[in-house]
Amino acid sequence: MLFMPFDELYLFLVLPAIIFSMWAQFRVSSSFNKYSKQHTSFGYKGVDAAQIVLNHAGVTNVRIERVKGKLTDHFDPRANVIRLSESVYDSPSVAAVGVAAHEAGHAVQYANAYFPMKIRSAVIPVTNIGSKMSIPLVLIGLLFDMTGLINVGILLFGAVVLFQLITLPVEFNASRRALSVLDGSGALVKEEIPASRKVLTAAALTYVGALAVSLAQLIRLIAITGRRR
Ligand SMILES: [Zn+2]
């Protein structure tokens, strides 16, 4: 009964969320590819854009490195390093500049102890446990009729959902910082800003998609275990 894949909640809640999430994933790579072909008027590359955002915020202790892969760009707060993929680091495209400036936006958040980012970092350990242990705990709880175990499993799953929820303001804020510096510093001309914004909005939607999938799964989990309790 528990993991009958095609109950109503799966069909009308989880599945639409998964489809939305896949659509968002597709959009981010298609818009990145599209705007990777549009060169910046002043020839700034991804690495330059990241440096401009850091300079603008007066952040001086962050390194910028190349990393392998596609769309693997990220800021690593433990090493205090911005890692840009090769198609971003060296590319003078509006897509690359947008992505690089966004990652630098995270570095600035970290340097300024931006509050949602601090909460997010604090929740990470619980989230790591939650994503691995929640479903096994619920299954064992159901098998041996242990309500306490089921509840702990659901709580841990809830922590994962909470983490994804706190991720949203962090992501939107990083993009807002990026675009405002790219615009204000003149790194991009006014007409190029909407293209960079499109790439960053598409990227943000993948986080909304991930949250939607987890939230739908949480609701289904509560409904299924509730029937047993
Ligand atoms: Zn981000």
Side-chain angles (χ1 to χ4, degrees):
M1 278 295 280
L2 173 61
F3 286 103
M4 251 183 62
F6 298 118
D7 58 84
E8 323 78 75
L9 276 175
Y10 183 84
L11 279 179
F12 298 112
L13 203 66
V14 179
L15 192 60
I18 290 174
I19 292 169
F20 171 76
S21 180
M22 286 166 70
W23 171 79
Q25 293 287 348
F26 167 77
R27 275 253 337 243
V28 75
S29 52
S30 70
S31 68
F32 184 81
N33 287 341
K34 181 178 175 189
Y35 294 110
S36 286
K37 293 178 189 105
Q38 185 180 335
H39 277 203
T40 55
S41 299
F42 301 124
Y44 287 115
K45 296 175 190 169
V47 60
D48 304 320
Q51 195 58 61
I52 288 169
V53 171
L54 293 177
N55 291 349
H56 184 269
V59 177
T60 53
N61 59 343
V62 176
R63 278 180 299 129
I64 308 172
E65 295 175 352
R66 277 192 195 81
V67 68
K68 292 233 177 292
K70 202 183 176 204
L71 293 174
T72 46
D73 310 78
H74 64 277
F75 167 66
D76 176 356
R78 270 161 300 179
N80 214 12
V81 171
I82 297 168
R83 300 205 180 90
L84 301 177
S85 59
E86 280 147 359
S87 58
V88 166
Y89 192 103
D90 299 299
S91 164
S93 72
V94 286
V97 162
V99 170
H102 170 94
E103 297 309 332
H106 284 311
V108 175
Q109 288 174 334
Y110 185 69
N112 293 348
Y114 175 61
F115 189 58
M117 194 190 220
K118 281 177 80 177
I119 308 177
R120 190 173 171 275
S121 311
V123 191
I124 283 177
V126 188
T127 312
N128 289 340
I129 301 168
S131 57
K132 286 190 198 80
M133 294 301 294
S134 57
I135 301 292
L137 284 179
V138 171
L139 284 176
I140 295 167
L142 285 169
L143 203 60
F144 296 105
D145 230 352
M146 295 164 77
T147 312
L149 220 51
I150 296 174
N151 290 341
V152 172
I154 288 177
L155 269 178
L156 282 174
F157 201 94
V160 176
V161 175
L162 184 69
F163 172 79
Q164 291 176 322
L165 186 68
I166 307 167
T167 299
L168 294 187
V170 176
E171 291 303 324
F172 283 107
N173 176 270
S175 290
R176 210 177 310 128
R177 285 173 197 264
L179 290 167
S180 107
V181 175
L182 291 177
D183 193 7
S185 67
L188 293 181
V189 295
K190 281 263 182 272
E191 293 72 33
E192 292 167 337
I193 296 290
S196 284
R197 179 178 287 117
K198 271 184 199 157
V199 174
L200 294 183
T201 305
L205 275 186
T206 64
Y207 292 98
V208 177
L211 171 66
V213 171
S214 304
L215 192 60
Q217 284 173 331
L218 177 65
I219 292 168
R220 180 166 176 257
L221 203 56
I222 292 170
I224 289 170
T225 55
R227 261 177 248 149
R228 294 284 192 100
R229 266 175 289 179

